[in-house]
Amino acid sequence: MLVEERRQRLLELVRARRFVSLPELAEELQVSESTIRRDLEWLEEQGTARRIHGGVLYTGQSPQLPHFEARQPAQWAQKRAIARRAAELVQPGETILLDGGTTTYEVARLLVGRPLHVLTNSLPVANLFAPDPNSDLIFIGGNICPRSGVAQGPYADKMLSTIRVRKTIMSVAAINEEGCFNNNLLLVATEQAMIRAADQVIVVADSSKFGHRSLGHVCPLEEVDILVVDSGLADSWREKLASAGIQVLIAPVAEPPEPPKSEGALV
């Protein structure tokens, strides 16, 4: 079996079973576990699988969410760098709330397999954690946006008003001196509820978002505790953020593999 054919078959097995052990994969493909480990390293680079204790989880993206899929490849190297830095802020056993942004989704990929209590209003993010035996998942219900798979609106806001989490990790569409913005008014209200539910608010945003505004104002800069951004952020913005009392974490950008293709099934 050619390497490309074996890896495609491996991906199909992981995607179909959601979680599978290394011995099972080696038996199915009639190769050694060391070969499986090398192939899994390749799948992890593509963002479609993640190794955890005892086996591997499928982390491919959900289909039929055109807006989400169209935005995911944009600034992908920056998003991956930001995600790696943001994931370092999450400790085992914590309760975290994740929104439906594409940068937040990259953070979620890296958190799969950790012992966490995860709350989210994002179907793509929930799809990552649903088969994970190490995490507890709560989905925030509401009106589902068919373009992004995100729950929003009054039902989501009401549920969020009843919970408390250690950290909210969220993406935004734009940031300027007035604060953070998003372009969906229903989602803006839901993200405001996410902020109120958290002890600590972490915003993950690439440097292209700065100096702009969007339709809805999510929050002033002072409501953000930590902002994780790539190294393309201008020094003038670093000073403005520091003046607002925000802890700014800069994520160095490495040369990435190609962005992952959108595959998988919704929970």
Side-chain angles (χ1 to χ4, degrees), residues 23 49 56 79 107 130 174 187 215 234 244 257 263:
V56 59
K79 290 176 183 178
V107 179
L187 182 58
L215 182 62
E263 299 179 281

Side-chain angles (χ1 to χ4, degrees), residues 188-237:
V188 165
T190 299
E191 290 188 326
Q192 289 170 344
M194 289 181 167
I195 290 172
R196 291 191 294 269
D199 295 335
Q200 188 177 64
V201 177
I202 301 171
V203 170
V204 289
D206 66 77
S207 55
S208 71
K209 304 285 182 66
F210 286 79
H212 305 287
R213 62 164 53 90
S214 191
L215 182 62
H217 185 234
V218 177
C219 68
L221 291 176
E222 289 75 15
E223 290 191 14
V224 177
D225 296 301
I226 299 175
L227 192 144
V228 188
V229 62
D230 62 88
S231 52
L233 185 67
D235 289 340
S236 59
W237 266 108

Side-chain angles (χ1 to χ4, degrees), residues 148-162:
S148 62
V150 169
Q152 56 196 17
Y155 290 108
D157 301 348
K158 184 175 181 179
M159 183 174 179
L160 286 164
S161 71
T162 67

